[in-house]
Structure formats: C-alpha cells, structure tokens
Amino acid sequence: MQTPRPKTRRTFIKNAALGLTAASVLPRTFAKESPQPDMSLSYQDLPQWRGFNFLDFFVPNPAHARVKTPEEHFKWMRDWGFDFVRIPMAYPYFLDIDYSKDITPEEVYKFSEEKIAHVDRIVEAANKYGLHVSLNLHRAPGYCINAGFQEPYNLWKDQDALDAFCHHWELWAKRYKGISPDLISFDLLNEPSLREDMNDQHGKREAVPAETYHRVAKAAVDRIRSIAPNHLIVADGNSGGHVAVPELADLKIGQSCRGYWPFNISHHKAPWVYKDPTGLPPPKWPDGPEANREALIKFYQPWFDLKESGVGVHCGECGCYKETPHDVFLSWFGDVLSVLAERGIGFGLWEMTGDFGFLNSGRSDVDYEDWYGYKLDRKLLNLLQSV
C-alpha cells in the first residue's frame, strides 16, 4: 500500500475553500436569466460608456461602508443619459471574518453568501435601467493600491495569492455568467503597481514588470473564460492605472486608463495623498507648455496608439477632489473628457455622490441646486452630459 503524500499548506487551503464556498459560488438565480448573445462585446472596440463608480463595497470592513446606493440613482443616471456603472470592490467585504484581526490565507476563501448578495442588489438595480455594470476587484488577495488592510501575501510574487485571486474571479464569473455580456463585464484588478510596503499609503507606484502582469492577468482571464467565455474582460493600466500595456494584447481583453493627470489638479489637498497640504500652491489650467490641452494629448498618446492597434480603451476612473477650485476643475476636466471623447473613449467618474461627484461634493465654491434633497453641481453635470 502506497503511503499517502502529506498535504501541503496550499492543498489544505484549496480543500478548505471547496467546503467554504460550495454554496457561494453557485450562479445567482435571477427572475429570468438573460440569453447569451451570439457575439460578446468586442474587446477591440469598447463602447464609449459614460457613467460613474459606486463605492458601496470599496472598504474591506462592511461596518465602515457607505450607505447603500438607492435604486433611484440608477434611474437618474439613465434619465440623464449615462449608461455605465463601475463597482470597485474590496474582497474582504464579502468574507465571514473577524475584521479586528489580520486576515489569514485560509480566511481569504471564507465567503459570506449574505454579503455577496449585496452585490446582486446593485447589479440588478443597474441592469433594470439598462446600465452596463463593470465589476472590479479594487482590493484583490495580495494587492491593493490603498493602505489600511494587512494582506497575508503578495499577488505579484506568491502562488497562493494568485490561486486565491483566480478563485475569487471564479466566484463572480459563476454568479453572473447568466447575465448578458451587454450588461456585465469583469475588470480584473484596480491600478496595478509595485509597492514594497502595501500598507504604506505613500508606497511606491512603480510599474509591475510586463511579464509578471501578463502571468497574473492570464491566469484570471483563463479562469473567467472557462466559465463565462462571452463576457468582456478589462485590465487596468500599469503603474497605478496610467500606463498602457500593449504586452497584454494577446489576451484579447480591453484596457482601462485613468483621468487623473496632472495629479496636482485632480488630487489637490487630498488628505490620503498629502500628509500636510498646507502651503500647496493653487493649481492652474492651462499652466504653461507642460500643462495644457496639447500636453494632455501627448500624455494619452500611448493609449490612443493602443486603441489604434486593436485594443479597446475606456477610462474607468477620472475626476477631481473637492479642494481644487471649481473653475480650474471644469476647465481642466473639460479638456480631459474632450481629448478622450475625440478618440471614442468613454469615462467613469470616480463617484456620482461625494467628494469627486456632482451630488453632495462638499465644494465650497459651487452654487448648488436642490435635487430631491441632494446638492447638485449643475455645471459639472452639464459638462459630463456634453461629451
């Protein structure tokens, strides 16, 4: 009789995951599953979607999450002419864990069906009004561009992290494979970069080596396509989302850029960027030959080249923190949106409601209108509708 091989730690985790997720990974049963179209959305020519990020699941701990987005917001979106909802998600939100302690590799697989069902609500509400939903792992096992949570491993270096990353995407693919690709897609990982200390808010934003990013992306793409082969998959730009990645072209996925350049305009006095924002000079736009519309075109040229090569491009995040003077923000952002729109590239404002949005932004230099109890920045809304 052959002596059984001892179980490795990785085998234990995988086997534990199968028991913990047997119910969770089953497809969501909707009232009526949408039929699969003959052709999926083309990764080579993404729609010029226009819309917003919704941050319901942005933080790891549900106790610190925002109030859930009311369904009427999606109706307003549709009525205003928008069609795109991006949902940046922190994977620990959906786990059954003690958030007061550092997460363990075993707990990364401990899904909560009750919490996962929260996503069903927002997906169904957005789809009800014909809005396309892009599910994004903002925090994935082993990586997040934000601090505030201790990861048990490193996605770019550790196979255990990559196994968990693919397992999470398997869950979402199984859950939503019955929804038409016209209504849902998968955005692999928010703003990849190398950071020596992923829990240091001011850690490095160096580009992930192309071969490393390709290896991680391919593993997740292969897992998703084994379940939902017709659904669009998108990868964010390298170095924090800003750098086009032609090395991923063979994966036949779209790519997502960012609308945060120049950073001193988009994130002026943002407290998570500047430890001491006092003394920062007020931003201007335009501001000389290195900060004007032509400079924007130069900055985005690699993305335009990528699009010309046959890889669809969308700007998944963009906008401006509330401390930038409103007139400077509108002047700059109008150029950003028009430069992208002229190349058929749509956008997702970082949020509709909040510091980057046009509802309840908290800007001190805006003449707000009342909108069903919200403070509406009509000038920003008009700008967004004009492109």
Side-chain angles (χ1 to χ4, degrees):
M1 179 177 180
Q2 186 177 7
T3 302
R5 294 178 61 187
K7 291 184 178 180
T8 65
R9 182 168 178 272
R10 185 181 302 164
T11 302
F12 170 79
I13 294 173
K14 285 183 176 179
N15 289 341
L18 293 176
L20 289 167
T21 66
S24 301
V25 299
L26 292 176
R28 169 67 168 149
T29 303
F30 292 96
K32 181 180 180 181
E33 289 192 347
S34 303
Q36 294 282 7
D38 293 333
M39 295 292 291
S40 61
L41 287 168
S42 171
Y43 77 94
Q44 297 175 304
D45 187 22
L46 300 186
Q48 194 175 331
W49 286 310
R50 303 179 306 152
F52 311 96
N53 286 256
F54 288 84
L55 311 187
D56 299 47
F57 316 112
F58 176 65
V59 297
N61 187 342
H64 303 151
R66 291 189 174 197
V67 175
K68 295 298 177 282
T69 302
E71 181 180 315
E72 63 185 356
H73 286 204
F74 301 118
K75 179 182 183 300
W76 297 346
M77 278 186 63
R78 181 202 61 188
D79 293 346
W80 281 325
F82 301 106
D83 56 8
F84 177 77
V85 169
R86 183 173 182 261
I87 306 177
M89 306 185 299
Y91 80 89
Y93 182 104
F94 307 106
L95 303 178
D96 183 13
I97 60 175
D98 181 351
Y99 294 96
S100 68
K101 300 178 181 179
D102 289 346
I103 192 171
T104 66
E106 292 80 7
E107 289 176 323
V108 169
Y109 291 91
K110 196 175 181 182
F111 296 103
S112 164
E113 173 65 24
E114 179 183 359
K115 295 175 184 176
I116 290 172
H118 296 171
V119 184
D120 296 339
R121 184 198 66 83
I122 196 170
V123 170
E124 290 175 326
N127 286 170
K128 175 180 177 180
Y129 295 99
L131 308 176
H132 182 89
V133 173
S134 171
L135 289 183
N136 165 251
L137 279 185
H138 188 277
R139 178 177 291 278
Y143 177 76
C144 184
I145 198 166
N146 288 357
F149 187 87
Q150 182 70 42
E151 288 297 328
Y153 33 38
N154 187 320
L155 179 59
W156 310 120
K157 298 178 180 180
D158 302 326
Q159 184 62 42
D160 285 350
L162 181 56
D163 291 344
F165 180 56
C166 293
H167 190 85
H168 276 252
W169 272 121
E170 178 180 337
L171 181 150
W172 297 114
K174 284 183 176 179
R175 197 164 187 91
Y176 297 125
K177 66 180 182 179
I179 298 180
S180 166
D182 291 331
L183 292 176
I184 198 163
S185 60
F186 306 119
D187 181 348
L188 294 177
L189 179 67
N190 184 72
E191 299 177 359
S193 65
L194 287 183
R195 299 179 64 182
E196 290 305 314
D197 179 1
M198 290 185 293
N199 303 290
D200 175 5
Q201 193 66 271
H202 299 277
K204 297 179 181 179
R205 300 295 195 273
E206 296 179 3
V208 178
E211 62 274 16
T212 300
Y213 192 5
H214 188 281
R215 174 178 58 82
V216 169
K218 184 179 187 302
V221 167
D222 288 349
R223 185 70 64 87
I224 292 169
R225 285 188 175 148
S226 71
I227 299 161
N230 291 331
H231 283 69
L232 173 69
I233 301 172
V234 171
D236 284 9
N238 209 337
S239 193
H242 298 284
V243 177
V245 195
E247 294 86 352
L248 300 182
D250 67 304
L251 299 180
K252 297 183 178 181
I253 59 180
Q255 292 194 30
S256 177
C257 65
R258 293 293 177 266
Y260 296 137
W261 187 89
F263 203 67
N264 70 303
I265 292 181
S266 66
H267 287 70
H268 180 60
K269 293 187 177 181
W272 63 94
V273 176
Y274 301 98
K275 292 181 179 179
D276 181 11
T278 59
L280 286 175
K284 302 176 182 178
W285 187 265
D287 189 18
E290 300 302 318
N292 55 32
R293 196 174 193 280
E294 291 304 312
L296 277 172
I297 294 173
K298 182 178 179 180
F299 175 79
Y300 285 108
Q301 191 59 53
W303 290 97
F304 303 152
D305 294 342
L306 185 69
K307 193 171 187 295
E308 287 296 316
S309 75
V311 175
V313 175
H314 184 262
C315 183
E317 286 186 26
C318 57
C320 194
Y321 186 58
K322 64 182 180 181
E323 292 299 324
T324 299
H326 198 236
D327 58 342
V328 175
F329 167 36
L330 295 181
S331 176
W332 162 75
F333 201 45
D335 282 342
V336 172
L337 294 180
S338 66
V339 163
L340 295 175
E342 287 171 2
R343 276 76 177 179
I345 298 174
F347 65 85
L349 191 71
W350 174 238
E351 56 191 341
M352 191 167 87
T353 305
D355 296 343
F356 278 68
F358 60 85
L359 294 175
N360 291 1
S361 67
R363 295 181 182 275
S364 61
D365 54 352
V366 173
D367 184 15
Y368 292 106
E369 295 181 19
D370 178 72
W371 181 266
Y372 296 97
Y374 291 85
K375 293 182 177 180
L376 169 63
D377 179 352
R378 176 67 68 176
K379 288 184 178 179
L380 177 54
L381 175 57
N382 287 344
L383 174 61
L384 296 166
Q385 291 175 306
S386 70
V387 293

